[in-house]
Amino acid sequence: MDARKRGKGATTLTDVAELAGVSLATASKAINGVSQVRAETRQKVLDAAAALSFTPNPFAKALNSATTGTIGMLTQDLDNRFVLPVLLGAEDAFGAGSTSVLLADARSDSIRENHQLNMLLAKRVDGLLVVGRTTNPRPSITAGLSIPVVYVYAPSEDPEDLSFTPDNHDAGRQAVEHLLSRGRRRIAFINGDPSYTAARDRVAGAAERMREEGLSLVGGTGLFGPWGERWGRRCTESLVESGERFDALLCGSDQLARGALDQLRESALSVPDDVAVMGFDNWDVLAEEARPPLTSVEMNLQQLGRSAAQQLVRAIGGTSARGVRLGSVRVVPRESTGSWTL
Amino acid sequence: MDARKRGKGATTLTDVAELAGVSLATASKAINGVSQVRAETRQKVLDAAAALSFTPNPFAKALNSATTGTIGMLTQDLDNRFVLPVLLGAEDAFGAGSTSVLLADARSDSIRENHQLNMLLAKRVDGLLVVGRTTNPRPSITAGLSIPVVYVYAPSEDPEDLSFTPDNHDAGRQAVEHLLSRGRRRIAFINGDPSYTAARDRVAGAAERMREEGLSLVGGTGLFGPWGERWGRRCTESLVESGERFDALLCGSDQLARGALDQLRESALSVPDDVAVMGFDNWDVLAEEARPPLTSVEMNLQQLGRSAAQQLVRAIGGTSARGVRLGSVRVVPRESTGSWTL
DNA sequence: TTGTATGCGTTATCAG
DNA sequence: CTGATAACGCATACAA
């Protein structure tokens, strides 16, 4: 690849035109495929461009084209395992086209977020992808901006904005559906921090599905606690000691589920024979190495990021949209909910 | 923030000059603090700029300044928990200045990497940060490039390049040092995949430190296996069954350590009373929720990313450097290696 | 100290 | 179909 050598004198369109023996204007048209150019001359230009490994200067281009071929990704907290897949999906979607991604992280600081926003704006990005840290709705930044903004993971509080967030409610429903299909009917829901909408939505969906079967969650819908294995263990222990019968533990996250699995083993309860266990997020490192491997709900965050990015591209193109789009999710069955087909 | 409104007619330097009642050139000089401008007029210009919330168009600027204020971050595999902290540190270092980060991911595909590289080059980035997926040396891409390149995490194979990678050898040494300080002398090293230099370096450092005390690793230096809890359990089980005495298990990763902890509990061995356990990477989610909380070696990846970014900025400024810089690491003590001060 | 004029690399608008 | 030429927004030698 000689194209790499762009030292002092990067080859310009003028060079190409000269080598091709045409005018600058013609060279431009030939390369951009716009306007009518004789096939023969176009080929001459293209050959010359290839020979010189010409790459158009994006700055010169951006100077009078209103669009810059760059979008900004404003993350609230990069140090978060949920934003990574989103980022990946977005990068993927953009990478396919010609737009590239300018990254800026706010470190969970709203002052800093504003700073980063202004920097992105100063760089003249064509659009903005705002990636939240949780699925809790977040303040809109769209007001006064002249470029399109799409919110991912954390939806905007303003319904006029366009947001993409995973369907936690349906995740709860599907999880219960899965457990029911395995013949479980006495299901408890060990949940995380109730200040997270994800926690509330998941249990709401689960409870709804149970109700449709004339059932209700063992222990109720209020088993909230800190996300993390510790609470998974403690809560499981309480359930066992309470003497209440249950044949499945649905846990608000894979971490909680790992704690539950641990505690069940200590209580000499067999998984999945005595109790089925499942989690949410399908965090491979935890789920696949669990004993037994853990059934979990895949939130499809990468797909979410990709969709958001594609929609942003469309919005930049002029097709705007609004509202909250719910990303689909699916159960990934593993051994922890095996057997018992009823 | 009115600065956000850059619609069709973003305010230009000409507007500022006009409002300030000076010429375009003077306005430029006043704002860039270059050349001699009367303090009074400068203030007039600055005021005008503020009033119009003027933001210089980076494209116009880049057109004739040889530098673009943008660096490219080329990651081999974004979907990797080790690159995230590196990315964070780099973003941090750049965010402090005025340069911003263009992200491109290669999806572990060398063809795609080349593609992304060319895209970054086409965008005229001032420098390149190449972030690897492992600490294994990787092919250099510096040849023929006219911009500085810094390698992070995975060092370049070419010693003429500048690379930043964590000091895994010292990590091994420090781990043993820590265990020795807790009075342990019969230490086994359960390791990960030997195709990773990280695995080999860590055990080499550990063995070296043991040798200095006239000791050697229980079970030798060859207890390699797949990274992951499963191997941690299996290997621990073998060690227990072998009847060999040991009072500490040093594990090549936190995942391995988690497996070891699990297995020890099943074998009715107490941690840390009977056996101390520690890991590497200090992955909070695993280490803090372990039973008991796991001592681990923090690899300081964020700092590594920050250093690399700073060095890249310097290189862009003209101060080049070469060689492999080893990032410092440190032990984070938790309960799993408590008590036993000897 | 300030202003004028020119160039950076492209695209777009006209004439030829 | 092709070629001058004027923008785009800013920096900068050079002139005043």
Side-chain angles (χ1 to χ4, degrees):
Chain A
M1 285 271 136
D2 319 20
R4 296 180 181 182
K5 297 179 196 131
R6 40 194 79 285
K8 188 71 206 66
T11 76
T12 81
L13 189 53
T14 310
D15 300 333
V16 175
E18 191 173 344
L19 200 166
V22 298
S23 80
L24 173 62
T26 307
S28 174
K29 290 166 194 159
I31 285 184
N32 294 306
V34 68
S35 176
Q36 297 302 73
V37 179
R38 203 183 351 151
E40 190 183 340
T41 36
R42 157 166 308 157
Q43 196 52 52
K44 252 192 321 190
V45 173
L46 259 33
D47 288 347
L52 298 173
S53 64
F54 166 72
T55 316
N57 184 322
F59 300 103
K61 189 177 285 192
L63 200 48
N64 52 4
S65 85
T67 159
T68 67
T70 306
I71 69 100
M73 183 143 43
L74 186 55
T75 67
Q76 228 173 351
D77 176 21
L78 247 186
D79 190 15
N80 176 323
R81 74 173 184 283
F82 297 117
V83 318
L84 199 48
V86 172
L87 206 140
L88 205 63
E91 206 273 341
D92 190 39
F94 290 127
S98 57
T99 57
S100 47
V101 179
L102 219 43
L103 186 66
D105 183 56
R107 298 277 185 295
S108 298
D109 174 352
S110 72
I111 306 236
R112 201 183 145 98
E113 177 172 293
N114 212 291
H115 176 69
Q116 294 286 49
L117 170 59
N118 282 323
M119 166 178 256
L120 252 22
L121 256 22
K123 290 273 179 180
R124 305 291 202 272
V125 294
D126 292 334
L128 230 37
L129 216 53
V130 177
V131 187
R133 190 184 25 159
T134 70
T135 58
N136 293 19
R138 52 149 293 147
S140 174
I141 60 167
T142 310
L145 253 44
S146 61
I147 54 174
V149 183
V150 173
Y151 298 80
V152 208
Y153 203 59
S156 164
E157 285 169 351
D158 185 344
E160 291 301 301
D161 293 333
L162 178 59
S163 307
F164 287 81
T165 193
D167 193 340
N168 279 308
H169 188 87
D170 189 50
R173 287 185 58 90
Q174 285 195 36
V176 166
E177 181 67 41
H178 174 77
L179 291 171
L180 291 171
S181 80
R182 293 295 201 259
R184 317 288 166 151
R185 300 180 67 81
R186 312 185 66 84
I187 306 174
F189 197 117
I190 299 179
N191 212 345
D193 186 331
S195 71
Y196 287 68
T197 59
R200 302 197 303 272
D201 291 346
R202 285 169 181 179
V203 71
E208 181 184 271
R209 187 67 190 83
M210 290 292 277
R211 223 175 299 123
E212 291 174 5
E213 298 293 316
L215 300 171
S216 62
L217 290 169
V218 174
T221 59
L223 301 181
F224 294 109
W227 300 109
E229 296 178 53
R230 215 174 308 261
W231 169 242
R233 289 195 296 263
R234 289 262 308 272
C235 192
T236 302
E237 191 178 17
S238 302
L239 280 168
V240 171
E241 284 177 355
S242 76
E244 279 221 77
R245 299 277 299 273
F246 58 90
D247 54 22
L249 288 181
L250 179 49
C251 303
S253 78
D254 290 334
Q255 279 191 79
L256 292 169
R258 284 293 299 258
L261 285 175
D262 251 22
Q263 188 57 47
L264 289 173
R265 196 175 316 114
E266 302 225 339
S267 303
L269 286 168
S270 155
V271 177
D273 291 337
D274 297 325
V275 180
V277 175
M278 72 181 286
F280 289 86
D281 299 333
N282 193 33
W283 194 4
D284 51 2
V285 180
L286 291 187
E288 286 166 6
E289 299 273 329
R291 282 191 297 168
L294 181 69
T295 295
S296 188
V297 184
E298 164 66 48
M299 304 307 285
N300 283 328
L301 296 183
Q302 194 167 337
Q303 177 55 45
L304 196 73
R306 193 175 298 119
S307 303
Q310 287 165 343
Q311 196 55 240
L312 179 57
V313 169
R314 266 181 230 120
I316 292 171
T319 320
S320 77
R322 74 177 76 169
V324 176
R325 301 269 215 280
L326 296 178
S328 69
V329 303
R330 71 172 211 286
V331 172
V332 177
R334 295 197 183 85
E335 292 175 36
S336 70
T337 56
S339 69
W340 264 54
T341 19
L342 183 63
Chain B
M1 287 271 131
D2 320 19
R4 298 181 180 181
K5 295 176 196 136
R6 41 194 78 287
K8 187 73 204 68
T11 77
T12 81
L13 189 54
T14 309
D15 300 332
V16 175
E18 192 173 346
L19 200 166
V22 299
S23 82
L24 174 63
T26 307
S28 172
K29 291 167 194 161
I31 285 184
N32 293 308
V34 68
S35 177
Q36 296 302 73
V37 179
R38 209 192 335 163
E40 190 184 340
T41 40
R42 157 166 309 156
Q43 197 52 52
K44 254 193 318 191
V45 173
L46 259 34
D47 289 348
L52 298 172
S53 63
F54 166 71
T55 317
N57 184 320
F59 299 101
K61 190 175 282 192
L63 244 195
N64 47 10
S65 84
T67 159
T68 66
T70 306
I71 70 99
M73 184 143 40
L74 186 53
T75 68
Q76 226 174 354
D77 177 19
L78 247 186
D79 191 15
N80 176 324
R81 73 172 184 284
F82 296 118
V83 319
L84 199 46
V86 171
L87 206 140
L88 206 62
E91 206 274 341
D92 190 38
F94 290 126
S98 57
T99 57
S100 47
V101 179
L102 221 42
L103 187 66
D105 183 55
R107 298 274 184 300
S108 299
D109 174 351
S110 72
I111 307 236
R112 201 182 145 98
E113 176 171 294
N114 213 293
H115 177 70
Q116 296 285 50
L117 170 60
N118 283 322
M119 166 177 257
L120 253 21
L121 256 22
K123 290 274 179 180
R124 305 290 202 273
V125 293
D126 292 335
L128 230 37
L129 216 54
V130 177
V131 187
R133 190 184 24 159
T134 70
T135 57
N136 293 20
R138 51 149 294 147
S140 173
I141 61 168
T142 311
L145 288 180
S146 61
I147 55 175
V149 183
V150 173
Y151 298 80
V152 208
Y153 203 60
S156 165
E157 285 169 351
D158 185 344
E160 291 301 303
D161 293 333
L162 177 60
S163 308
F164 287 80
T165 193
D167 193 341
N168 279 307
H169 188 86
D170 189 51
R173 287 186 59 90
Q174 285 194 36
V176 166
E177 181 68 40
H178 174 77
L179 291 171
L180 290 171
S181 80
R182 293 294 201 260
R184 317 287 167 153
R185 301 180 65 82
R186 311 185 67 85
I187 306 175
F189 196 117
I190 299 179
N191 212 346
D193 186 331
S195 72
Y196 287 68
T197 59
R200 301 197 303 272
D201 292 346
R202 286 169 181 179
V203 72
E208 180 183 273
R209 186 66 191 82
M210 290 291 278
R211 224 175 299 124
E212 291 174 6
E213 299 293 314
L215 301 170
S216 62
L217 290 169
V218 174
T221 59
L223 302 181
F224 295 107
W227 301 107
E229 297 177 52
R230 215 174 309 262
W231 169 242
R233 288 196 296 264
R234 288 261 309 274
C235 192
T236 300
E237 191 178 18
S238 303
L239 280 168
V240 170
E241 285 178 354
S242 76
E244 278 221 77
R245 301 275 299 275
F246 58 90
D247 53 23
L249 289 181
L250 179 51
C251 303
S253 78
D254 291 333
Q255 280 191 78
L256 291 169
R258 284 293 299 257
L261 285 175
D262 252 22
Q263 188 57 46
L264 289 173
R265 195 175 314 114
E266 303 225 340
S267 303
L269 286 168
S270 157
V271 176
D273 292 336
D274 297 325
V275 180
V277 176
M278 72 180 286
F280 290 86
D281 299 335
N282 193 31
W283 194 3
D284 51 2
V285 180
L286 291 188
E288 286 167 6
E289 299 272 331
R291 283 191 296 170
L294 181 69
T295 295
S296 189
V297 184
E298 165 66 48
M299 304 305 286
N300 283 329
L301 296 182
Q302 193 165 338
Q303 177 55 46
L304 195 74
R306 194 174 299 119
S307 303
Q310 287 165 345
Q311 196 55 239
L312 180 57
V313 169
R314 264 181 232 121
I316 291 172
T319 319
S320 78
R322 74 177 76 167
V324 176
R325 301 268 216 279
L326 296 178
S328 69
V329 303
R330 72 173 210 285
V331 172
V332 177
R334 295 198 183 84
E335 293 175 36
S336 70
T337 57
S339 70
W340 265 50
T341 19
L342 182 61

